Amino acid sequence: MSASNNGSLNGRIVSDITTRYPDNTRISVTEFRVIPSDAPEGSSAIPVTCYNGYGENLAQWRNQGDLVSLRYHVVYKTWQTEEGEYRSKYELVVDECYCLALGKISAEKRAYELVSEQEVKSTTKVKKSVAA
């Protein structure tokens, strides 16, 4: 990769993070949209893509609303439709993703997981004391 097709982006995840598994492949494709922190009001979000385990891991730990810092490289893709038309697009492929701040969904999700974990521990203690 040359330095001219690498970049970084700080922004908030503004869409659901979706993972799909294209037919006849062992590849997973994770996609979401990020709006840059310094974008003017009314700006469009930028679609980004992650592949394989990295994307699946990101989908597990990140949520809409999280403030992230992404390091990416640009890929130019071309394909032919079923009608024979040629199409192309640029794709930002995420190489690294760092969470700068949790959004509301992530914070609520983690608080719920913490409460659930504490309930499991207290239930286990009660069962142990009853068994003794």
Side-chain angles (χ1 to χ4, degrees):
M1 280 188 287
S2 68
S4 62
N5 70 346
N6 295 328
S8 61
L9 171 66
N10 293 332
R12 206 161 285 281
I13 299 173
V14 293
S15 69
D16 289 332
I17 300 173
T18 58
T19 301
R20 60 185 170 83
Y21 301 87
D23 296 335
N24 301 322
T25 64
R26 293 186 291 171
I27 296 173
S28 67
V29 181
T30 303
E31 299 171 317
F32 58 99
R33 299 173 71 78
V34 175
I35 191 137
S37 298
D38 59 352
E41 188 68 31
S43 296
S44 296
I46 299 170
V48 295
T49 305
C50 302
Y51 289 100
N52 296 326
Y54 191 76
E56 293 170 355
N57 190 30
L58 193 136
Q60 180 181 0
W61 294 102
R62 300 279 67 85
N63 289 297
Q64 184 175 352
D66 289 358
L67 183 62
V68 293
S69 178
L70 306 175
R71 193 174 64 77
Y72 64 86
H73 65 275
V74 180
V75 174
Y76 183 71
K77 292 195 164 194
T78 59
W79 68 96
Q80 189 174 4
T81 65
E82 292 178 6
E83 295 80 29
E85 296 178 34
Y86 286 96
R87 301 282 174 98
S88 62
K89 73 173 186 175
Y90 285 100
E91 183 175 75
L92 299 185
V93 178
V94 175
D95 297 318
E96 294 177 13
C97 177
Y98 300 100
C99 183
L100 303 177
L102 295 177
K104 183 178 180 181
I105 294 171
S106 288
E108 289 174 353
K109 183 178 174 184
R110 285 188 177 74
Y112 175 77
E113 289 171 353
L114 181 62
V115 168
S116 297
E117 185 178 303
Q118 289 173 347
E119 288 175 358
V120 168
K121 286 180 182 178
S122 65
T123 304
T124 305
K125 286 180 185 177
V126 170
K127 286 182 182 178
K128 284 181 181 178
S129 64
V130 170

